[in-house]
């Protein structure tokens, strides 16, 4: 090997750099463990401790020192599936942005386009493009630059009525990007103040989506509310209760004609007090007892001051429906026709006898206007702090700017003179509605007090300081992983890695002898380089990422196997050891096959990285890095030791006494039995297609949308019974399947998956708890069941949500990823082999493999003891199978090309058969190594990736078969007669 000294220099340098990069991870982990010990597993105390030492020096190299903040920025971060925490993807509502830019236009064409865009938006299509399509389809003579759409005061100077639609579209695209950027800044500010270590927030391309990862975060409902709250603070004048009691009475009477009376007796309800105030006691008492008061029967009690009435939180939707009816709003007096009915923040009370919780809410009537714009908004807030009011209760104090202070003084002055109230509402929820007793308030300082706890005031002050989002942020995808589940994943990943590593090392030594030791040394160096690069890139290590590392163990020895097998061939032909090694490392030896095989790996890995998200990108990243590091170590590191043996005249045979004749002397007629292989594969394809039609595939929530919960019970449960009970609770089908042990279920529901909002997420969580709480002891609360915490053993260990919009994108991306992988690999083979028949043979084999794996999943997903879902992990497995199937095929094709270009005698089919037989040792050895590694991962890798590994395991087995029995026969059958005659003429036939 030329430039041996240079290779050694770079290898040592690279190793030192890797050790340097990894040292930060070791130091950071030590500091975090110290923090856990100090905090006694108290998460908040742990975060405070780490924050307090952020600028302290914790690592010294002698010539320079590093603070903890610097160290943690350089470490390998663990993903949520290993660390535990919460991950959400927010979709900024482009519809809201457009409505705001149009100044809430009432133009019918514009509003129809907004609705059509939501209905017709295709997978992977942005809402803005869908809106443009919908507008163009219905616009007629209407222009985007119409004065009643976008040529308004809001966009003065940027859009005028003379502009074409194409010109306006460019401005709107820019404005939408600005809104997403603004939302990104607001969310970053909120998250930075939340108090978790190493939060991650990133924009996802040009999709308008924002990814937020909070490792170690545990309060699910609180975090979802924090990140999705628009934080639109408004100050409204309110009507007094007595001003609208007449309207409520008229509304109740009008509803009697259309609303069916409740069957159960209503006389026991507290609402009787209101009925008695508004009706004749003797005349109407019978009606009240029969529950014939549609509106009043929903009231718990009468309000007072700014509070109209008090109702149970579960009845608010019904009351809202009544009050929004057109015929009911028509009963409002003319001077109150714009009244805006808004609920306050709920109050939970506990019955001391039954211990049953009841949540009630207050109803307010705000003095609205035609444009539904508050007299004063939160945009005037320049500072907000969590504090305590005069009663010692948690509150939020706010400071306004000059313009806000003047408006605030006018509002409070009017409230003082009229003895009225001012409601302070955040996202259409009234937090307080104080009166003004001491005259107008100057200076712009105000305070929000109410039914808060300390955590809520901290969050509220946080979002007010950060500012409001420019549009609603909908949670389209989320994942919650408990820390105990993360530790299980780490243990499973570590076990599979160690066992896989040891078995691969033992196999290499067993099969290749001393040369196997050299391959193992290269493997160790490869792992050092791999982790060093991951650390230097600031990569996030996930459970699929660990799977990628374990797979790298297989690919790392793949190049060594190809080189060693070639060296054995050269030695059998009588060459000396130096000449055999030189030939095997040459371009005409093993290098061409190694490069071709790894290029196909890189192409499929790159596509996986481009189209994948989250953990799948982690898998692709690890796989891609592993390809390059394994190439370097296999080709150069092992060569150093081999060359040293040659220099010292040591015998090196690349075999052991037991294995020297393994996989040799094959003369099997692969082409001769092609009819049988075609028949077998055709039957498999037909059976698979029939199964697709009748059984379909078990599409996971990634593809169809939905919510999934991994729930641990105190003792084994019957999944069918749980499914029936939850289906009754949700009012729709809920699936429950055993996940691992029979005291753990994977529960899936599509309940309200097309509806967005934190309230919907909380409703689903509450229904799940209510449906399952009978399986737990009396000490199990909703918070314990849903939230994550250290040492959690039962309840929800992991939860994920995929919205309908993002599932369509994932499905589209997956489809194009598989097609794209086959196309680019096929194109590369055409370029490399310069004959389209090679590419066609490889593509036919890969297509066969994909259908085979899909068929297995379609046939057996109902019966398998583990989950066989079609999700992102499955697509990652399919793409990986494509890469490995191509690998085997390329090895065979390279030998065919070599033999056809050489002087080997025989018919065309004889030359092809000889090519397959001569590479059989490589094919079987590389495949067996990969199968061994995958089996270890399947057994020890953990339940969450078992289906993912099974797909790859089946794919590798089928890929090995197809490269021998499908790809090569297709190549032979598609060669034209002229080319075959020319080949046989050159080879002496």
């Amino acid at each position: 090997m030329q430039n041996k000294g240079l290779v050694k220099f770079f290898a040592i340098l690279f190793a030192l750099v890797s050790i340097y990069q990894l040292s930060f991870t070791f130091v950071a982990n030590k500091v975090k463990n110290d923090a856990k010990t100090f905090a006694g597993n108290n998460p908040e105390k742990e975060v405070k401790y780490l924050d307090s030492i952020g600028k302290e020096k914790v690592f010294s190299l002698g010539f320079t020192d590093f603070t903890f903040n610097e160290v943690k920025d350089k470490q390998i971060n663990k993903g949520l599936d290993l660390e535990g925490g919460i991950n959400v993807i927010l979709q900024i509502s482009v519809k809201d942005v457009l409505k705001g830019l149009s100044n809430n236009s009432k133009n019918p064409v514009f509003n129809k386009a907004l609705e059509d865009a939501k209905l017709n938006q295709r997978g992977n299509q942005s809402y803005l493009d869908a809106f443009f399509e919908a507008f163009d389809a219905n616009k007629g003579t209407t222009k985007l630059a119409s004065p009643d759409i976008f040529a308004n005061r809001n966009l003065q100077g940027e859009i005028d009525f003379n502009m074409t639609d194409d010109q306006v579209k460019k401005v709107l695209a820019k404005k939408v990007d600005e809104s997403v950027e603004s939302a990104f800044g607001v969310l970053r500010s909120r998250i930075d103040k939340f108090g978790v270590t190493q939060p991650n927030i990133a924009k996802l391309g040009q999709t308008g989506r924002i990814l937020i990862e909070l490792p170690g975060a545990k309060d699910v409902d609180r975090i979802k509310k924090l990140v999705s709250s628009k934080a639109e603070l408004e100050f409204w004048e309110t009507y007094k209760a007595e001003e609208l009691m007449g309207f409520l009475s008229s509304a109740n009477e009008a509803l009697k004609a259309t609303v069916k009376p409740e069957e159960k007796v209503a006389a026991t309800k507290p609402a009787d007090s209101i009925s008695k105030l508004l009706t004749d006691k003797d005349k109407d008492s019978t009606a009240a007892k029969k529950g014939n008061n549609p509106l009043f029967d929903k009231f718990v009690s009468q309000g007072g001051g700014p509070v109209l009435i008090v109702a149970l939180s579960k009845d608010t939707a019904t009351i809202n429906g009544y009050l929004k009816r057109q015929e009911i709003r028509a009963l409002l007096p003319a001077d109150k026709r714009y009244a805006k009915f808004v609920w306050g923040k709920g109050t939970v009370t506990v019955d001391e006898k039954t211990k049953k919780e009841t949540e009630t809410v207050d109803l307010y009537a705000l003095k609205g206007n035609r444009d539904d714009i508050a007299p004063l908004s939160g945009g005037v807030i320049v500072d907000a702090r969590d504090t305590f009011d005069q009663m010692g209760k948690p509150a939020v104090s706010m400071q306004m700017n000059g313009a806000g202070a003047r408006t605030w003084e006018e509002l409070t002055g009017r409230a003082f003179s009229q003895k009225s109230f001012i409601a302070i509402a955040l996202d259409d929820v009234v937090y307080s509605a104080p009166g003004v007793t001491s005259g107008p308030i100057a200076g712009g300082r105000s305070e929000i007090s109410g039914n808060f706890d300390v955590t809520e005031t901290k969050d509220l002050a946080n979002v007010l300081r950060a500012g409001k989002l420019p549009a609603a942020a909908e949670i389209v995808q989320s994942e919650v992983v408990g820390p105990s589940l993360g530790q299980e994943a780490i243990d499973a990943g570590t076990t599979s890695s160690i066992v896989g590593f040891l078995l691969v090392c033992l196999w290499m030594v067993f099969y290749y002898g001393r040369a196997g030791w050299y391959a193992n040394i290269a493997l160790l160096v490869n792992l050092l380089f791999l982790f060093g690069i991951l650390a230097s890139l600031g990569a996030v290590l996930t459970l699929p990422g660990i799977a990628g590392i374990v797979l790298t163990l297989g690919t790392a020895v793949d190049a060594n196997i190809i080189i060693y097998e070639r060296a054995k061939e050269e030695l059998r032909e009588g060459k000396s050891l130096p000449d055999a090694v030189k030939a095997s490392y040459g371009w005409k030896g093993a290098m061409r096959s190694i490069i071709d095989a790894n290029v196909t790996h890189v192409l499929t890995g790159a596509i996986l990285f481009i189209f994948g998200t989250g953990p799948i990108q982690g898998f692709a990243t690890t796989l891609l890095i592993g390809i390059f590091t394994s190439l370097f170590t296999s080709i150069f590191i092992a060569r150093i030791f081999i060359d040293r043996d040659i220099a010292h005249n040591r015998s090196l045979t690349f075999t052991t006494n037991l294995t020297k004749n393994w996989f040799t002397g094959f003369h099997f007629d692969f082409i001769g039995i092609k009819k049988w292989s075609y028949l077998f594969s055709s039957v498999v394809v037909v059976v698979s297609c029939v199964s697709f039609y009748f059984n379909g595939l078990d599409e996971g929530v990634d593809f169809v949308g939905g919510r999934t919960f991994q729930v641990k019970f105190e003792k084994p449960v019957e999944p069918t019974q749980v499914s029936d009970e939850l289906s009754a609770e949700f009012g729709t089908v809920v699936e429950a399947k055993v996940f691992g042990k029979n005291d753990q279920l994977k529960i899936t529901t599509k309940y309200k998956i097309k509806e967005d909002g934190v309230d919907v997420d909380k409703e689903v969580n509450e229904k799940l708890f209510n449906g399952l709480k009978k399986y737990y002891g009396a000490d199990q609360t909703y918070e314990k069941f849903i939230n994550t915490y250290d040492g959690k053993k039962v309840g929800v260990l992991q939860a994920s949500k995929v919205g309908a919009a993002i599932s369509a994108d994932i499905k589209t991306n997956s489809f194009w990823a598989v097609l794209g992988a086959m196309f680019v690999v096929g194109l590369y083979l055409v370029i490399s082999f310069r004959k389209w028949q090679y590419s066609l043979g490889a593509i036919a084999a890969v297509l066969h493999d994909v259908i085979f794996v899909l068929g297995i999943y379609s046939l057996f997903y109902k019966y398998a003891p583990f989950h066989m879902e079609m999700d992102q992990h499955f697509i990652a497995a399919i793409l990986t199978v494509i890469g490995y199937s191509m690998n085997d095929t390329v090895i065979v094709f390279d030998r065919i090309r070599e033999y056809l270009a050489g002087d080997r005698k025989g018919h065309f089919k004889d030359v092809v058969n000889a090519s397959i037989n001569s590479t059989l040792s490589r094919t079987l050895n590389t495949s067996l190594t990969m199968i061994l590694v995958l089996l270890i991962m399947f057994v020890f890798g953990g339940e969450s990736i078992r289906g993912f590994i099974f797909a790859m395991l089946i794919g590798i087995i089928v890929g090995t078969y197809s490269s021998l029995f499908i790809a090569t026969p297709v190549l032979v059958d598609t060669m034209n007669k002229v080319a075959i005659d020319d080949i046989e003429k050159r080879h002496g036939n």
Side-chain angles (χ1 to χ4, degrees):
M1 180 174 63
Q2 296 178 343
N3 301 317
K4 189 187 304 181
L6 191 62
V7 170
K8 287 182 179 179
F9 171 76
F10 277 112
I12 293 171
L13 180 63
F14 204 177
L16 290 174
V17 171
S18 297
I19 292 170
Y20 166 77
Q21 291 290 348
L22 288 172
S23 64
F24 294 102
T25 300
F26 291 119
V27 173
N29 286 337
K30 181 181 181 303
V31 173
K32 288 179 181 178
N33 288 333
D34 292 342
K36 282 186 181 292
T37 303
F38 171 81
N41 288 327
N42 183 322
E44 293 184 6
K45 193 174 180 181
E46 182 183 335
V47 169
K48 288 180 181 178
Y49 174 84
L50 293 175
D51 285 342
S52 68
I53 64 168
K55 296 181 180 180
E56 291 185 14
K57 295 176 181 178
V58 296
F59 186 34
S60 176
L61 291 175
F63 56 90
T64 185
D65 298 319
F66 298 92
T67 65
F68 175 66
N69 285 340
E70 292 170 331
V71 167
K72 74 178 183 180
D73 288 341
K74 294 177 181 291
Q75 70 169 341
I76 297 178
N77 296 317
K78 288 182 288 195
L80 294 187
D81 52 358
L82 299 178
E83 180 80 5
I86 297 174
N87 162 311
V88 297
I89 294 179
L90 296 170
Q91 174 76 63
I92 302 303
S93 175
V94 177
K95 179 180 179 180
D96 284 359
V97 174
L98 293 174
K99 289 176 72 173
L101 292 173
S102 73
N103 203 17
N104 293 311
S105 172
K106 302 296 189 293
N107 185 285
V109 175
F110 169 73
N111 283 287
K112 186 176 188 306
L114 289 177
E115 295 305 319
D116 288 351
K118 187 171 183 178
L119 292 173
N120 302 328
Q121 186 179 358
R122 300 185 299 274
N124 235 23
Q125 183 186 38
S126 71
Y127 179 87
L128 186 62
D129 288 339
F131 166 76
F132 290 153
E133 279 188 11
F135 186 86
D136 290 341
N138 297 286
K139 66 181 181 180
T141 58
T142 307
K143 294 174 58 180
L144 288 171
S146 299
D148 63 339
I149 305 181
F150 292 116
N152 57 44
R153 188 168 52 189
N154 287 351
L155 295 169
Q156 190 173 4
E158 295 184 84
I159 294 178
D160 62 66
F161 62 88
N162 292 317
M163 294 175 70
T164 64
D165 281 355
D166 288 340
Q167 290 173 317
V168 175
K169 287 176 182 178
K170 292 178 181 179
V171 176
L172 294 178
K174 178 185 174 185
K175 287 293 183 182
V176 168
D177 286 342
E178 288 175 355
S179 295
V180 174
E181 189 67 41
S182 173
F184 181 75
V186 169
L187 289 168
R188 178 180 288 282
S189 181
R190 290 185 189 180
I191 295 304
D192 286 344
K193 294 178 178 65
F194 180 70
V196 295
T197 57
Q198 296 173 280
N200 176 42
I201 176 169
K203 291 185 294 182
L204 300 179
Q206 302 300 313
T207 62
R209 293 177 182 145
I210 297 173
L211 167 70
I212 297 175
E213 291 183 326
L214 302 175
K218 297 172 175 64
D219 193 332
V220 178
D221 292 334
R222 176 189 172 197
I223 290 166
K224 287 185 176 181
K225 183 178 180 181
L226 176 74
V227 299
S228 64
S229 170
K230 191 176 179 182
E232 189 162 9
L233 185 68
E234 296 174 329
F235 301 85
W236 296 85
E237 294 178 89
T238 72
Y239 291 108
K240 299 174 187 176
E242 57 266 25
E243 293 182 87
L244 286 172
M245 275 303 169
F247 160 72
L248 293 177
S249 180
S250 300
N252 183 65
E253 291 300 316
L255 288 166
K256 289 180 181 180
T258 57
V259 178
K260 184 179 179 180
E262 294 187 9
E263 293 181 5
K264 62 182 180 179
V265 178
T268 58
K269 290 190 175 183
D272 289 341
S273 59
I274 299 176
S275 302
K276 292 173 182 177
L277 286 173
L278 299 171
T279 61
D280 180 84
K281 180 177 179 180
D282 296 326
K283 182 179 179 179
D284 294 314
S285 60
T286 303
K289 288 179 181 179
K290 291 180 180 179
N292 193 25
N293 290 286
L295 189 58
F296 292 155
D297 288 339
K298 296 296 182 184
F299 297 169
V300 171
S301 65
Q302 185 181 7
V307 178
L308 299 186
I309 56 94
V310 180
L312 294 173
S313 59
K314 68 181 183 66
D315 291 329
T316 55
T318 303
I319 297 172
N320 284 341
Y322 291 160
L323 296 179
K324 287 178 180 178
R325 289 189 181 187
Q326 189 173 357
E327 71 273 18
I328 298 301
R329 288 201 63 88
L331 300 174
L332 284 164
D335 60 336
K336 298 178 180 63
R337 66 183 182 278
Y338 295 120
K340 181 177 182 179
F341 296 100
V342 178
W343 296 98
K345 188 174 179 293
T347 302
V348 177
T349 56
V350 181
D351 189 299
E352 293 184 2
K353 292 183 179 179
T354 64
K355 302 299 180 183
K356 185 178 180 180
E357 292 185 351
T358 303
E359 184 177 21
T360 58
V361 285
D362 299 337
L363 181 65
Y364 299 83
L366 311 182
K367 293 184 178 180
N369 49 61
R370 181 189 298 273
D371 298 321
D372 195 27
I373 297 175
L376 187 62
S377 72
V380 302
I381 303 296
V382 294
D383 191 24
R385 291 284 182 268
D386 55 296
T387 182
F388 295 90
D389 62 16
Q390 295 178 345
M391 304 295 292
K393 294 181 178 180
V396 176
S397 64
M398 301 174 294
Q399 179 61 51
M400 303 176 186
N401 60 23
R406 288 190 292 274
T407 305
W408 182 240
E409 188 171 0
E410 293 174 8
L411 277 175
T412 53
R414 193 155 55 242
F416 173 72
S417 62
Q418 297 176 359
K419 304 299 181 185
S420 59
F421 306 86
I422 298 176
I424 304 174
L426 182 71
D427 292 339
D428 280 339
V429 175
V430 174
Y431 278 77
S432 63
V436 181
T437 58
S438 57
I441 301 174
R445 180 162 291 279
S446 61
E447 184 178 83
I448 306 177
S449 60
N451 183 27
F452 292 113
D453 58 33
V454 174
T455 299
E456 289 175 319
T457 55
K458 286 183 181 296
D459 288 348
L460 181 54
N462 180 4
V463 297
L464 291 178
R465 284 196 302 272
K468 73 172 185 176
L469 291 172
E474 301 162 352
I475 298 177
V476 294
Q477 185 173 349
S478 65
E479 183 173 16
V480 181
V481 182
S484 57
L485 194 63
Q487 188 58 51
E488 287 180 13
I490 293 173
D491 295 341
T494 303
T495 301
S496 62
S497 299
I498 293 174
V499 174
F501 175 78
L502 290 176
L503 286 179
V504 168
C505 289
L506 286 172
W507 173 257
M508 293 300 290
V509 172
F510 169 76
Y511 194 82
Y512 292 109
R514 190 163 67 248
W517 283 110
Y518 301 156
N520 291 340
I521 293 172
L523 184 59
L524 281 170
V525 176
N526 171 59
L527 289 176
L528 176 64
F529 289 174
L530 174 59
F531 279 106
I533 293 174
L534 287 173
S536 64
L537 294 177
V540 176
L541 189 61
T542 62
L543 188 56
I546 292 178
I549 292 172
V550 178
L551 282 176
T552 299
L553 301 178
T555 58
V557 297
D558 183 39
N560 283 122
I561 289 173
I562 296 173
I563 293 168
Y564 289 177
E565 291 298 324
R566 185 67 187 218
K568 285 159 66 176
E569 291 177 12
E570 301 293 338
L571 288 172
R572 289 191 195 104
E573 292 179 3
K575 289 184 179 180
S576 65
L577 179 60
D579 290 341
V581 169
K582 184 177 180 180
S584 63
Y585 277 93
W587 180 253
K588 292 184 178 180
M591 285 305 105
R592 175 180 283 185
S593 297
I594 290 172
I595 296 303
D596 280 340
N598 281 279
V599 166
T600 59
H601 275 318
V602 170
L603 291 174
T604 53
I607 288 172
L608 189 58
F609 181 83
I610 292 168
F611 288 97
T613 59
I616 302 306
Q617 280 191 330
F619 171 76
T621 300
T622 306
L623 206 58
L624 287 170
I625 295 172
I627 290 169
F628 290 106
T629 57
S630 63
L631 273 176
F632 177 81
T633 55
S634 299
I635 294 172
F636 295 109
I637 301 300
R639 178 76 183 273
I640 291 173
F641 294 95
I642 292 172
D643 284 349
R644 189 182 64 176
D645 279 0
I646 293 173
H648 289 83
N649 293 318
R650 291 174 184 160
S651 174
L652 189 65
T653 61
F654 301 97
T655 62
T656 64
N657 290 332
L658 184 63
T659 63
K660 63 181 179 181
N661 293 319
W662 284 19
F663 305 123
T664 60
F666 283 103
H667 300 288
F668 189 79
D669 188 3
F670 288 93
I671 304 303
I673 66 162
K674 65 180 181 179
K675 290 182 180 179
W676 294 105
S677 59
Y678 283 163
L679 178 62
F680 170 73
S681 294
S682 297
V683 170
V684 169
V685 170
V686 170
V687 170
S688 297
C689 291
V690 171
S691 183
F692 297 155
Y693 181 80
F694 288 102
N695 290 337
L697 289 157
D698 186 14
E699 293 186 89
V701 294
D702 283 356
F703 284 0
V704 296
R707 293 176 173 85
T708 299
F709 302 89
Q710 184 177 331
V711 182
K712 183 85 168 179
F713 294 84
E714 294 175 347
K715 56 185 179 181
V717 294
E718 175 55 49
T720 304
Q721 180 181 340
V722 171
S723 177
D724 292 342
E725 291 170 350
L726 288 177
S727 296
E729 176 72 28
F730 280 87
T732 185
V733 176
V734 177
E735 293 182 356
K737 299 178 181 178
V738 173
F739 192 76
K741 298 179 181 178
N742 57 2
D743 63 348
Q744 185 170 253
L745 297 181
K746 188 173 186 180
I747 296 170
T748 304
T749 176
K750 296 176 185 176
Y751 179 76
K752 290 190 176 181
I753 194 59
K754 293 186 178 180
E755 297 182 29
D756 297 306
V758 176
D759 291 340
V760 176
D761 292 342
K762 188 173 183 181
E763 179 189 349
V764 173
N765 290 342
E766 288 174 341
K767 282 184 175 290
L768 183 69
F769 174 66
N770 291 333
L772 298 178
K773 63 183 178 182
K774 75 173 190 177
Y775 292 99
Y776 297 92
D779 61 336
Q780 180 73 298
T781 63
Y782 169 80
E783 287 73 20
K784 287 182 179 179
F785 179 76
I786 290 296
N787 293 331
T788 65
Y789 53 86
D790 292 325
K792 183 174 183 177
K793 300 296 183 183
V794 296
V796 176
L797 301 183
Q798 183 174 11
S800 63
K801 167 193 169 183
V802 180
I806 203 166
S807 66
D809 289 358
I810 292 172
K811 201 168 187 175
T812 302
N813 283 343
S814 299
F815 174 78
W816 288 112
V818 174
L819 287 186
M822 289 194 287
F823 173 77
V824 297
V825 171
L827 183 62
Y828 171 76
L829 292 180
V830 169
I831 296 170
S832 178
F833 287 86
R834 294 181 174 84
K835 283 186 180 293
W836 61 267
Q837 289 90 346
Y838 287 95
S839 180
L840 180 63
I843 293 298
V846 166
L847 187 60
H848 163 275
D849 299 343
V850 171
I851 293 174
F852 198 112
V853 175
L854 287 171
I856 292 290
Y857 268 61
S858 176
L859 286 167
F860 298 108
Y861 76 85
K862 295 178 181 178
Y863 315 106
F866 54 89
H867 286 263
M868 300 176 71
E869 290 182 346
M870 284 275 291
D871 56 13
Q872 290 189 85
H873 292 82
F874 179 82
I875 297 301
I878 290 293
L879 290 174
T880 307
V881 165
I882 289 173
Y884 282 107
S885 179
M886 288 290 185
N887 187 354
D888 285 341
T889 303
V890 163
I891 289 174
V892 175
F893 282 1
D894 268 321
R895 181 54 61 91
I896 293 173
R897 176 170 56 183
E898 179 188 341
Y899 278 7
L900 292 178
D903 56 2
R904 192 176 186 90
K905 302 300 182 180
H907 292 283
F908 173 58
K909 292 182 180 179
D910 296 334
V911 174
V912 172
N913 266 327
S915 302
I916 301 173
N917 281 289
S918 64
T919 57
L920 200 57
S921 59
R922 300 184 194 179
T923 302
L924 294 179
N925 216 347
T926 54
S927 296
L928 286 173
T929 305
M930 285 305 307
I931 289 169
L932 181 65
V933 171
L934 288 168
L935 277 172
I936 296 302
M937 293 176 66
F938 182 77
V939 175
F940 298 106
E943 188 67 34
S944 60
I945 61 169
R946 192 154 284 146
F948 166 60
I949 297 301
F950 182 74
M952 283 197 285
L953 185 60
I954 296 298
I956 296 299
I957 295 171
V958 175
T960 304
Y961 159 79
S962 66
S963 66
L964 299 174
F965 295 95
I966 300 298
T968 310
V970 169
L971 167 66
V972 171
D973 288 344
T974 53
M975 279 283 189
N976 60 62
K977 189 175 185 304
V978 174
I980 293 174
D981 290 342
D982 179 64
I983 290 170
E984 296 193 342
K985 183 179 180 181
R986 286 188 290 105
H987 288 268
N989 290 285

